[in-house]
Amino acid sequence: MDYNPGFDITVDDRNMTFKYGRNTFGPEPEYRRLKDIRKSLLDPAAKGPDVLYSIAMDVGRSKDRDDLKRRMLLYGAVIYAKGKIGREPVRSQGHIHAISPSSDSSTPEVYEIWDGEAIVYMQETAHDDPGRCFAVHAKRGDIVIVPPAWAHCTINADIHHTMTFGAWCIRDYSFDYKEIRAHKGLAFYPIVGHADQITWQRNDHYRKSGLQEQGPRSCRDFNLQKGVPVYKQYVDNRNLFDFVTEPMNHNDLWRNYQP
């Protein structure tokens, strides 16, 4: 991985793990397996990699650890396997960020792609009417923000290579899967089509809705800089990601949000 995320971490994608520098903290990764997401797949019996992705929640520079805890801010690092799950690319099952006790609100997530290609799929709700649906295609260095209460999943857009990203979220995060599982997944299934390009199949358990495919938006309204690692941006301005941990104080950012 050539991308510098702003702190000393090495990605070992062969073993789906991370190595931390002497001034960096981080846990052993947790592994998400195919059996964990079958209920949200187009074909629940599909074959694919056993380990879909590994995730190390709470990583960063040792000198920042106390500040991150005080702010209830958490940075995670994730490696996605290459390959397919039946007709679908490797992906997560999808979730909604549940109400955080510290913020009394669902909370957003800030993705930064480190290596490979990703699609961050998001829809306004997991009700029968999913509302607006977006597939945001992102590459190395791109930033994608998922707003509070939106249902979303992360997809490896290149079946031939692993994909790695970092993400800011709140420290007391939890996930709500109930409505997504009740609808057998999200409103659109990603399908590996001709020349390994991602196409989309509608999930008939939802009312019909359009899907907008696009690249990442500018994040100037969040005061985020393109081309600067989001971890470094936190180091340079400790308050910058207060919108992650205190989303109710930033309703102007979420009103009529356009991914």
Side-chain angles (χ1 to χ4, degrees), residues 61-79:
R61 302 190 313 173
S62 299
K63 65 175 68 175
D64 301 325
R65 195 168 196 170
D66 288 344
D67 182 72
L68 290 168
K69 288 181 177 180
R70 181 176 63 80
R71 294 177 182 278
M72 291 299 293
L73 189 60
L74 181 145
Y75 197 72
V78 189
I79 306 170

Side-chain angles (χ1 to χ4, degrees), residues 233-248:
Q233 293 188 56
Y234 150 74
V235 170
D236 293 341
N237 180 357
R238 302 287 181 171
N239 300 316
L240 186 60
F241 293 96
D242 285 355
F243 69 85
V244 172
T245 56
E246 303 170 1
M248 297 298 287

